[in-house]
Amino acid sequence: MTATPERTRLTWDYSPAPESADHVRLRDAYGVFVDGEFADPRSGRAAPTVNPATEQEIAQIAVAGEEDIAHAVQTARAAQAKWAALPALERGKYLFRIARLMQERARELAIVETMDGGKPIRESRDIDIPLAAAHFFHYAGWADKLAYGLAGRAHRPHGVVAQIVPWNFPLLMAAWKLAPALACGNAAILKPAETTPLTALLLAEICQEAELPPGVVSILPGDGATGAALVRAEGISKVAFTGSTAVGKNIQAALAGRDVGLTLELGGKSANIVFEDASIDQAVEGIVQGIFFNQGHVCCAGSRLLVQESVAEQVEAKLWERMQKLRLGDPLDKNTDVGAVNSGEQLERIETLVAAGEDEGATRRTVACDLPERGHWFAPTLFTEVSPVHRIAVEEIFGPVVSMLTFRTQAEAIEKANNSKYGLAAGIWTDKGGKAFEVASQLQAGVVWQNTYNHFDPTAAFGGYKESGFGREGGAAGLRPYVRIS
Ligand code: NAD
């Protein structure tokens, strides 16, 4: 008998496939967007926004100060009364128009999102921008059906709402905030994050193109001080914040005793639980999607991987093999899986926590790859031999770093998953539907995915338990934070 000849292993390589940014026309400088117009900031201040993959300045951006905020509140209050008085169907038409214009400018928005934030173009093109438009479509539909969404209860808008968003999904978070607020008849003042203001400013242009009445949406770029001043401004009736738990607590304290509505969407340390009966290959893809999507800059990232002991070795081996196939590099390249870390400051945070993981005795493996010379980068990293008390098992890293722990029984998996001050999301990998429901019902997490991860839909409510915040965004539940029930 002749032996089967050994096959030559095929190795695939990729040619560069950069998305062209030639047609993107950005201004050299952006002001504040108030009363339907761009204007120089009254603060007289500006700061650059920088491409984290090249460290090159893209544009100068206004830093709004207290006078800008007071002006925005004044024009928003005047606009809100008229906006709320419009027939609901008409409000819906404006949202629909914004959604259509976002679709028309989708390619430009995706490129700018990637240049400003560092995320792979594949993600901004296929996930961030389409989902942002879908959010506006969804709430365009709700505008004249609020009574159904609010179970027939009498309601009225808050008035002027202040909305503060982080840098990890800049346009998507803006859409999550603006679309329900406007559908419910509020005027909104949005503050984008200091490192990623550009797509919010393009959205301001879209509001102009959609002929949205001036003052209904204001965009005030700026830093943490701008956000802090906006939260404390007179004339604001509600604050909606997405960002870190520390800043969320600060905002909650600042609003104590004031009749100002508040929703907080904060951090997380979400458990991705793999049972021994799961399809292991599918679970490994889900683990990768759960933690390396957007370089791990995801509030609901599956950063705590809990694997049943009987399959732990197999999962670890397959995960490590899969991780080595991830392509890190130019975010504008269509083949890139892992882009640039959003800022030098964020890179430092990741490095500090990874060093703590090593110091505390966990075993670190980082994918060996060439990091570009300029920009901020961190290669995909797996920690094993992790104990539940290690900082890398407790604190949010917000980077491409997964900490693997094991469990023996279902009860232990639930206990370990809930052993966190956070409670944003969780993943369950099993082929038993009954087990998935049983476990999901005992998890303290706002979102639970079964046999998938990081799957978002405008019709589904998203939000946290415990220190991951309160209030829901998305679906009918996302209307409730934007009305007062009378
Ligand atoms: P951050 O809290 O530092 O900043 C978020 C926003 O708040 C920015 O616009 C910032 O300028 C502003 N800000 C900073 N200090 C402020 C203050 N004192 N008062 C008012 N505003 C202030 O968070 P970040 O580092 O930009 O974002 C990462 C965090 O956001 C992570 O913890 C992540 O989990 C969380 N996040 C949560 C969700 C969610 O839906 N739960 C979504 C995305 C990000």
Side-chain angles (χ1 to χ4, degrees), residues 164-169 173 176 191-194 222-225 227-228 231-232 241-245 247 250-251 265-268 298-299 346 349 396 398 424 462 468 473:
I164 300 173
V165 293
W167 43 261
N168 56 345
F169 293 92
M173 289 300 106
W176 280 24
K191 193 204 85 64
E194 46 272 56
D223 51 16
V231 163
R232 290 156 179 82
F241 172 78
T242 297
S244 59
T245 295
V247 174
N250 175 302
I251 292 175
E265 301 277 358
L266 308 175
V298 182
C299 50
Q346 183 58 27
R349 256 185 254 167
E396 186 178 40
F398 225 56
L424 195 52
F462 185 94
S468 290
E473 295 188 305

